[in-house]
């Protein structure tokens, strides 16, 4: 049902409480700086904002990178800060501008990569700008939906917006078993590409289940001995892995990195393209991704579900750099049922 009123929509029964539970940091540091505590409940302050009751939050490496202070010179975060930029939940209040746009109404089940320069989703509530929201996939429970936005959007923007992936092209995805990688593999297959992907021995089965054509065990083989004439490399590792990736590209190929800007000089010398991608919010792309998920062609893999209060443990696991698929935090009780793939 389309909502077209120009006034804000608010759930009156829920307007009373001024506080909520959240995981916040008051200073940068290790997992011990994460505190599960009472925090002010956010308010819809701009007309185009939407208040979302968080059911689940996804965990990404950027969360612990922010926690450690790596982004403090780039993003205008203020402390105390709520971390976590992956959310699935229900619409609680709609600002007048967002209501006039007519896309969301109270009670809608939505998911989002909210602007990571603002407070995040490790909390009972989050305020999200309307263009950053989409209806969540019908086929996924909130916990699974929360694992999707940041990683799937980054994969989408890397492969489709930046690299302009075409059917039958050859793609090499480093860390195909990780958060971004497992979406990238499935999206590349959905587009009709021939996919090479790397992971360690224990994740070779997962790579094949995801549809990888040539799974490479980076602990046993050098990827450049297997993957040749590649159109697109998706670099999620950097360092030596990025350096060795140049040699597998065909002329006019593209090296897309998520972790370290690849050398423009090197790209020119080799006749290839280099790009760095910073994933950004897009409700429109999330709506497309939801359709692919509901068609059965894209499935999030969830490795671990923890309650919000155990965010420290979630960060320790994420920081191990060996997450299989995704980690999610359950925020609202009763959202523990899983449908679909779980590793
Ligand atoms: N620029 C952006 O917008 C953006 C967006 C999202 C993520 N990122 C960054 O991209 C990186 C990956 O993110 P993510 O969420 O996918 O991380 P992740 O889920 O933590 O990645 C873990 C995966 O990496 C694999 N792995 C570890 N070392 C490897 C190696 N040497 N070769 C191949 N695979 C290896 C692991 O497989 P095994 O256990 O089998 O080794 C594991 O499955 C992070 O640094 C993140 O901060 C950037």
């Amino acid at each position: 049902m389309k909502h077209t009123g120009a006034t804000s929509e608010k759930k009156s029964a829920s307007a009373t409480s001024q506080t909520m539970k959240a995981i916040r940091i008051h200073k940068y540091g290790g997992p011990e700086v994460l505190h599960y505590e009472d925090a002010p409940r956010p308010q819809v302050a701009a007309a185009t904002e939407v208040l979302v009751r968080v059911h689940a939050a996804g965990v990404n490496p950027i969360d612990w990178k922010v926690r450690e202070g790596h982004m403090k010179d780039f993003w205008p975060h203020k402390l105390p800060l709520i971390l976590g930029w992956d959310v699935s939940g229900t619409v609680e209040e709609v600002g007048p501008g967002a209501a006039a746009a007519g896309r969301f109404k109270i009670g809608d089940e939505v998911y989002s990569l909210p602007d990571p320069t603002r407070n995040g989703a490790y909390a009972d509530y989050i305020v999200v700008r309307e263009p950053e929201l989409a209806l969540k996939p019908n086929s996924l429970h909130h916990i699974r939906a929360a694992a999707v936005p940041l990683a799937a959007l980054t994969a989408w923007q890397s492969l489709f917006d930046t690299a302009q992936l075409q059917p039958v092209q050859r793609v090499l995805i480093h860390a195909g078993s990780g958060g971004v990688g497992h979406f990238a593999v499935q999206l590349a297959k959905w587009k009709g590409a021939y996919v090479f992907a790397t992971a360690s021995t224990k994740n070779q089965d997962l790579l094949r289940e995801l549809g990888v054509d040539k799974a490479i065990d980076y602990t046993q083989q050098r990827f450049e001995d297997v993957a040749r004439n590649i159109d697109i490399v998706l670099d999620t590792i950097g360092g030596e892995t990025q350096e060795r990736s140049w040699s597998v590209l065909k002329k006019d190929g593209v090296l897309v990195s998520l972790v370290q800007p690849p050398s423009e000089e090197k790209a020119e010398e080799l006749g290839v393209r280099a790009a760095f991608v910073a994933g950004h919010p897009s409700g429109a792309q999330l709506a497309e991704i939801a359709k692919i998920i509901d068609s059965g062609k894209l499935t999030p893999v969830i490795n671990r579900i923890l309650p919000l209060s155990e965010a420290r443990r979630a960060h320790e696991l994420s920081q191990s750099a060996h997450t299989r698929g995704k980690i999610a935090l359950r925020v609202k009780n009763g959202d523990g049922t899983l449908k679909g793939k779980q590793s």
Side-chain angles (χ1 to χ4, degrees), residues 61 65 175 177 179-180 198 200 202-203 218 236 258-259 277 279 321-323:
K65 291 179 183 179
S177 53
V180 176
T198 60
S200 70
K202 67 179 190 302
N203 283 321
Y218 71 85
T236 58
L258 303 179
V259 286
V277 166
H322 293 287
T323 304

Side-chain angles (χ1 to χ4, degrees), residues 154-320:
T154 304
W156 180 285
Q157 291 161 7
S158 301
L159 294 176
F160 303 155
D161 297 347
T162 300
Q164 304 279 312
L165 172 64
Q166 302 301 317
V168 311
Q169 281 192 320
R170 291 158 67 88
V171 184
L172 168 62
I173 294 162
H174 287 298
S177 53
V180 176
H182 88 289
F183 286 118
V185 164
Q186 295 177 78
L187 286 171
K189 288 306 298 176
W190 171 74
K191 196 75 167 181
Y194 188 90
V195 177
F196 299 77
T198 60
S200 70
T201 312
K202 67 179 190 302
N203 283 321
Q204 295 299 296
D205 285 353
L206 174 62
L207 292 185
R208 283 186 280 269
E209 270 175 44
L210 293 169
V212 168
D213 297 291
K214 274 266 188 286
I216 303 169
D217 180 346
Y218 71 85
T219 68
Q220 304 293 322
Q221 294 165 292
R222 287 174 68 79
F223 62 81
E224 54 273 52
D225 292 341
V226 182
R228 297 205 182 87
N229 282 323
I230 299 294
D231 294 284
I232 300 165
V233 175
L234 181 61
D235 167 34
T236 58
I237 306 289
E240 191 212 338
T241 298
Q242 183 183 103
E243 200 46 48
R244 286 166 44 206
S245 291
W246 294 109
S247 69
V248 308
L249 282 170
K250 64 164 66 153
K251 195 163 178 327
D252 297 326
V254 53
L255 173 52
V256 180
S257 182
L258 303 179
V259 286
Q260 179 188 327
S263 158
E264 292 290 346
E265 294 73 37
K266 183 91 182 176
E268 200 174 330
E269 191 186 301
L270 295 170
V272 298
R273 202 153 64 84
F276 178 77
V277 166
H280 56 84
S282 170
Q285 289 179 341
L286 279 181
E288 290 300 307
I289 288 168
K291 281 190 218 156
I292 302 170
I293 290 173
D294 285 338
S295 77
K297 295 269 165 54
L298 183 64
T299 309
V301 171
I302 311 281
N303 176 244
R304 197 69 186 267
I305 300 165
L306 291 163
L308 178 63
S309 55
E310 289 184 34
R312 285 183 189 179
R313 179 78 190 120
H315 276 220
E316 285 161 2
L317 291 169
S318 173
Q319 228 162 335
S320 76

